Amino acid sequence: MTNLEKYNNAFCETLQVSESELNGLQYQGVELWDSVGHMTLMAALEDAFDIMMETDDIVDFSSYEKGKEILKKYDVEI
Amino acid sequence: MGETIHLDLEEICDHILNRPPLLMIESVDVIPGEMAKATIHLKPDDWFFPCHFPGNPMMPGVLQLESMFQTGILTVKTLPGMKRKLSNISKVREVSFMQNIVPPCDIVVNTKVVRPYRRGITEIDGIIESNGCICSKATYVLAIPEDMVLMK
C-alpha cells in the first residue's frame, strides 16, 4: 500500500467519507471530524505510519492537505 | 491476553465516580485495556422497577447503556496512571434493544475494547445477556479529556 493509500484510508475509515470528498476536507467540515474524531484520526495515522506526532502538530493538523505537509516532518511523503 | 483482575464494590468506587443509586455494578472482572465483565443481580424492588413501569417492571434501556458504560470504562481506568482521570461518553452508536429485562434475573454485561485506548479515546462494544439471550448491544466511544489535544 502506498503512503497516499494509507493516508486516505485513515481519513475514509475514521471519518466515514469517500475518497472523492478528501480534497479540501477540513476539521469540523464533516460530522465525524470533531474533537473526538480528530484524536481518532491522529491515532489512525500514527499507527499507519508508525510515528508519534507532537502536540503542536496535532493542533495544527486542520485539513487533509495540511496533514500532508505535517507528515513530511516525520519523513512521511504522501 | 492480559491478566484478569477482580474489582469489588470498594475498588470499583476507587476507579469511577458513579455512586448509588446510579452505580449499576458491584463486582467486575477486568483485563486492563481489553475487556471487562460484570454480573448484576436484579430484584423487583430495585429503585427503577417500580416506576418503569408500575405493574410491568422492565430495566430501562438507558440503564442498560449505563451498565455498559460503567463496566467498559474500567478497561481504561485500570490501566497504569488512569485511575483518577475523568472520563466522558462521547458517542453511542449501533444501539439495539432486543429483549426486555424483567426482574428477578441476573444479567451479564460484557464489554470489549475494539479500538485500543490512544490519544484520550477508546471505542468499546458492549453486550448484555440474560439466561443465554442477548438483551441489548451498543458500540460507544469513551473520551478522557485530560489525555486529548484541544484543537484551536
Side-chain angles (χ1 to χ4, degrees):
Chain A
M1 195 178 280
T2 66
N3 281 350
L4 178 60
E5 286 170 337
K6 289 183 191 177
Y7 188 70
N8 288 351
N9 269 356
F11 272 84
C12 293
E13 288 184 10
T14 303
L15 305 180
Q16 296 291 293
V17 295
S18 64
E19 278 203 28
S20 64
E21 300 174 79
L22 291 177
N23 287 332
L25 189 63
Q26 297 184 345
Y27 173 66
Q28 296 185 324
V30 291
E31 183 179 352
L32 288 183
W33 201 350
D34 57 10
S35 57
V36 171
H38 187 73
M39 300 316 299
T40 307
L41 176 62
M42 295 301 102
L45 289 169
E46 289 179 329
D47 286 344
F49 297 109
D50 195 24
I51 59 174
M52 184 68 74
M53 285 190 272
E54 296 171 1
T55 299
D56 284 348
D57 290 330
I58 291 175
V59 173
D60 287 342
F61 199 122
S62 56
S63 72
Y64 173 77
E65 283 76 16
K66 181 69 176 180
K68 291 180 181 179
E69 293 175 27
I70 289 173
L71 289 183
K72 286 180 185 174
K73 279 182 57 175
Y74 301 90
D75 296 326
V76 177
E77 289 288 338
I78 305 291
Chain B
M1 187 169 281
E3 188 178 328
T4 301
I5 59 175
H6 180 78
L7 303 180
D8 60 19
L9 179 59
E10 184 177 347
E11 290 162 322
I12 291 170
C13 291
D14 200 32
H15 284 80
I16 62 177
L17 297 177
N18 307 75
R19 293 295 181 266
L22 203 54
L23 179 60
M24 305 299 297
I25 56 177
E26 294 186 342
S27 74
V28 182
D29 292 318
V30 185
I31 301 178
E34 295 183 31
M35 58 79 65
K37 177 179 174 180
T39 299
I40 304 175
H41 309 292
L42 296 173
K43 305 176 296 299
D45 61 355
D46 286 331
W47 66 272
F48 44 87
F49 282 128
C51 52
H52 191 282
F53 300 99
N56 187 21
M58 59 184 74
M59 188 177 187
V62 291
L63 294 184
Q64 294 179 45
L65 289 176
E66 184 65 24
S67 301
M68 293 184 207
F69 299 159
Q70 292 176 16
T71 304
I73 188 57
L74 290 168
T75 62
V76 175
K77 299 304 280 307
T78 51
L79 292 171
M82 299 301 293
K83 187 190 285 192
R84 300 281 174 243
K85 294 186 178 180
L86 296 178
S87 61
N88 298 322
I89 297 295
S90 175
K91 297 178 196 287
V92 184
R93 44 176 168 249
E94 300 180 30
V95 181
S96 300
F97 298 102
M98 286 91 91
Q99 182 157 303
N100 290 335
I101 296 175
V102 179
C105 68
D106 291 345
I107 61 172
V108 177
V109 185
N110 262 308
T111 60
K112 179 182 171 185
V113 173
V114 293
R115 188 189 296 273
Y117 185 72
R118 284 279 309 279
R119 294 289 185 186
I121 303 291
T122 188
E123 188 165 334
I124 296 176
D125 277 347
I127 185 168
I128 292 181
E129 295 173 277
S130 183
N131 292 324
C133 296
I134 297 173
C135 301
S136 55
K137 298 192 294 186
T139 298
Y140 55 95
V141 176
L142 283 167
I144 305 251
E146 182 180 335
D147 287 350
M148 292 173 64
V149 174
L150 291 179
M151 294 295 286
K152 292 175 185 166

